[in-house]
Short mmCIF file of all heavy atoms in Angstrom, two decimals:
data_model
loop_
_atom_site.label_atom_id
_atom_site.label_comp_id
_atom_site.label_asym_id
_atom_site.label_seq_id
_atom_site.Cartn_x
_atom_site.Cartn_y
_atom_site.Cartn_z
N GLU Z 142 15.99 -3.12 9.92
CA GLU Z 142 16.83 -3.82 10.89
C GLU Z 142 18.07 -3.00 11.26
O GLU Z 142 18.53 -3.03 12.40
CB GLU Z 142 17.23 -5.18 10.34
CG GLU Z 142 16.08 -6.18 10.30
CD GLU Z 142 16.40 -7.40 9.45
OE1 GLU Z 142 17.60 -7.60 9.12
OE2 GLU Z 142 15.46 -8.15 9.12
N LYS Z 143 18.60 -2.28 10.30
CA LYS Z 143 19.80 -1.46 10.55
C LYS Z 143 19.48 -0.25 11.43
O LYS Z 143 20.25 0.08 12.35
CB LYS Z 143 20.39 -0.98 9.23
CG LYS Z 143 21.20 -2.01 8.45
CD LYS Z 143 21.67 -1.42 7.13
CE LYS Z 143 22.55 -2.37 6.35
NZ LYS Z 143 23.91 -2.47 6.92
N TRP Z 144 18.34 0.43 11.17
CA TRP Z 144 18.13 1.74 11.78
C TRP Z 144 16.76 1.94 12.44
O TRP Z 144 16.49 3.00 12.98
CB TRP Z 144 18.36 2.82 10.72
CG TRP Z 144 19.73 2.73 10.12
CD1 TRP Z 144 20.92 2.76 10.78
CD2 TRP Z 144 20.06 2.55 8.73
NE1 TRP Z 144 21.97 2.63 9.91
CE2 TRP Z 144 21.47 2.49 8.63
CE3 TRP Z 144 19.30 2.45 7.55
CZ2 TRP Z 144 22.15 2.35 7.42
CZ3 TRP Z 144 19.97 2.29 6.34
CH2 TRP Z 144 21.36 2.24 6.29
N GLY Z 145 15.90 0.92 12.40
CA GLY Z 145 14.60 1.04 13.05
C GLY Z 145 14.65 0.64 14.52
O GLY Z 145 15.68 0.21 15.04
N GLU Z 146 13.52 0.77 15.17
CA GLU Z 146 13.41 0.40 16.58
C GLU Z 146 12.97 -1.05 16.70
O GLU Z 146 12.12 -1.53 15.96
CB GLU Z 146 12.37 1.30 17.28
CG GLU Z 146 12.75 2.77 17.34
CD GLU Z 146 13.89 3.04 18.30
OE1 GLU Z 146 14.02 2.27 19.29
OE2 GLU Z 146 14.66 4.00 18.07
N LYS Z 147 13.56 -1.74 17.69
CA LYS Z 147 13.20 -3.14 17.93
C LYS Z 147 11.80 -3.23 18.54
O LYS Z 147 11.43 -2.43 19.39
CB LYS Z 147 14.19 -3.80 18.89
CG LYS Z 147 15.56 -4.08 18.28
CD LYS Z 147 16.43 -4.82 19.30
CE LYS Z 147 17.79 -5.13 18.70
NZ LYS Z 147 18.66 -5.87 19.68
N ILE Z 148 11.02 -4.21 18.06
CA ILE Z 148 9.70 -4.49 18.62
C ILE Z 148 9.61 -6.01 18.81
O ILE Z 148 9.84 -6.77 17.86
CB ILE Z 148 8.57 -4.04 17.69
CG1 ILE Z 148 8.78 -2.61 17.18
CG2 ILE Z 148 7.22 -4.16 18.39
CD1 ILE Z 148 7.86 -2.24 16.03
N GLU Z 149 9.26 -6.46 20.01
CA GLU Z 149 9.16 -7.89 20.25
C GLU Z 149 7.69 -8.33 20.21
O GLU Z 149 6.81 -7.66 20.75
CB GLU Z 149 9.75 -8.26 21.61
CG GLU Z 149 9.77 -9.75 21.85
CD GLU Z 149 10.46 -10.15 23.15
OE1 GLU Z 149 11.08 -9.26 23.78
OE2 GLU Z 149 10.36 -11.33 23.54
N TYR Z 150 7.45 -9.43 19.55
CA TYR Z 150 6.11 -10.01 19.51
C TYR Z 150 6.23 -11.53 19.44
O TYR Z 150 6.90 -12.07 18.55
CB TYR Z 150 5.33 -9.48 18.31
CG TYR Z 150 3.95 -10.11 18.15
CD1 TYR Z 150 2.97 -9.94 19.13
CD2 TYR Z 150 3.63 -10.87 17.03
CE1 TYR Z 150 1.72 -10.52 19.00
CE2 TYR Z 150 2.37 -11.45 16.89
CZ TYR Z 150 1.43 -11.27 17.88
OH TYR Z 150 0.18 -11.86 17.76
N LYS Z 151 5.63 -12.20 20.39
CA LYS Z 151 5.65 -13.67 20.46
C LYS Z 151 7.07 -14.22 20.43
O LYS Z 151 7.36 -15.21 19.76
CB LYS Z 151 4.82 -14.27 19.33
CG LYS Z 151 3.32 -14.12 19.49
CD LYS Z 151 2.56 -14.89 18.42
CE LYS Z 151 1.07 -14.90 18.68
NZ LYS Z 151 0.33 -15.63 17.63
N GLY Z 152 7.98 -13.54 21.14
CA GLY Z 152 9.35 -14.00 21.26
C GLY Z 152 10.22 -13.73 20.05
O GLY Z 152 11.39 -14.13 20.01
N LYS Z 153 9.68 -13.02 19.06
CA LYS Z 153 10.46 -12.70 17.86
C LYS Z 153 10.67 -11.19 17.78
O LYS Z 153 9.80 -10.42 18.20
CB LYS Z 153 9.72 -13.20 16.61
CG LYS Z 153 10.50 -12.99 15.32
CD LYS Z 153 9.76 -13.61 14.13
CE LYS Z 153 10.52 -13.37 12.83
NZ LYS Z 153 9.82 -13.95 11.66
N ILE Z 154 11.81 -10.79 17.24
CA ILE Z 154 12.13 -9.37 17.12
C ILE Z 154 11.76 -8.86 15.73
O ILE Z 154 12.14 -9.45 14.71
CB ILE Z 154 13.62 -9.10 17.39
CG1 ILE Z 154 13.99 -9.53 18.80
CG2 ILE Z 154 13.95 -7.62 17.16
CD1 ILE Z 154 13.27 -8.76 19.89
N TYR Z 155 11.02 -7.77 15.70
CA TYR Z 155 10.68 -7.06 14.47
C TYR Z 155 11.28 -5.67 14.57
O TYR Z 155 11.77 -5.26 15.62
CB TYR Z 155 9.16 -6.98 14.29
CG TYR Z 155 8.49 -8.33 14.17
CD1 TYR Z 155 8.14 -9.06 15.31
CD2 TYR Z 155 8.21 -8.88 12.92
CE1 TYR Z 155 7.53 -10.30 15.20
CE2 TYR Z 155 7.59 -10.12 12.81
CZ TYR Z 155 7.26 -10.83 13.95
OH TYR Z 155 6.65 -12.06 13.84
N TYR Z 156 11.21 -4.92 13.48
CA TYR Z 156 11.79 -3.58 13.47
C TYR Z 156 10.85 -2.60 12.78
O TYR Z 156 10.33 -2.88 11.70
CB TYR Z 156 13.14 -3.58 12.74
CG TYR Z 156 14.19 -4.43 13.43
CD1 TYR Z 156 14.28 -5.80 13.16
CD2 TYR Z 156 15.06 -3.87 14.36
CE1 TYR Z 156 15.22 -6.58 13.79
CE2 TYR Z 156 16.02 -4.65 14.99
CZ TYR Z 156 16.09 -6.00 14.72
OH TYR Z 156 17.02 -6.79 15.37
N SER Z 157 10.66 -1.46 13.40
CA SER Z 157 9.88 -0.39 12.78
C SER Z 157 10.67 0.21 11.63
O SER Z 157 11.89 0.07 11.56
CB SER Z 157 9.55 0.70 13.81
OG SER Z 157 10.75 1.34 14.22
N PHE Z 158 9.97 0.89 10.73
CA PHE Z 158 10.67 1.61 9.67
C PHE Z 158 11.32 2.85 10.29
O PHE Z 158 10.68 3.56 11.06
CB PHE Z 158 9.71 2.01 8.56
CG PHE Z 158 10.40 2.47 7.31
CD1 PHE Z 158 10.90 1.55 6.40
CD2 PHE Z 158 10.58 3.82 7.04
CE1 PHE Z 158 11.55 1.96 5.25
CE2 PHE Z 158 11.24 4.24 5.90
CZ PHE Z 158 11.72 3.30 5.00
N PRO Z 159 12.60 3.11 9.98
CA PRO Z 159 13.29 4.24 10.62
C PRO Z 159 12.71 5.60 10.23
O PRO Z 159 12.14 5.77 9.15
CB PRO Z 159 14.73 4.09 10.14
CG PRO Z 159 14.66 3.24 8.91
CD PRO Z 159 13.48 2.34 9.10
N THR Z 160 12.87 6.54 11.11
CA THR Z 160 12.37 7.90 10.89
C THR Z 160 13.33 8.70 10.02
O THR Z 160 14.50 8.32 9.84
CB THR Z 160 12.20 8.63 12.22
OG1 THR Z 160 13.51 8.78 12.82
CG2 THR Z 160 11.29 7.86 13.17
N ILE Z 161 12.86 9.82 9.52
CA ILE Z 161 13.73 10.71 8.75
C ILE Z 161 14.86 11.24 9.61
O ILE Z 161 15.98 11.45 9.13
CB ILE Z 161 12.92 11.87 8.12
CG1 ILE Z 161 13.82 12.74 7.24
CG2 ILE Z 161 12.23 12.69 9.19
CD1 ILE Z 161 14.53 12.03 6.11
N GLU Z 162 14.60 11.44 10.91
CA GLU Z 162 15.66 11.91 11.82
C GLU Z 162 16.80 10.90 11.90
O GLU Z 162 17.96 11.29 12.03
CB GLU Z 162 15.08 12.15 13.22
CG GLU Z 162 14.20 13.39 13.34
CD GLU Z 162 12.85 13.22 12.68
OE1 GLU Z 162 12.38 12.07 12.53
OE2 GLU Z 162 12.24 14.26 12.32
#
Side-chain angles (χ1 to χ4, degrees):
E142 288 166 14
K143 282 177 177 285
W144 303 304
E146 295 289 331
K147 288 184 179 181
I148 312 167
E149 185 175 351
Y150 176 63
K151 288 187 172 179
K153 183 176 179 181
I154 299 297
Y155 298 84
Y156 297 87
S157 65
F158 193 81
T160 64
I161 184 58
E162 287 74 23

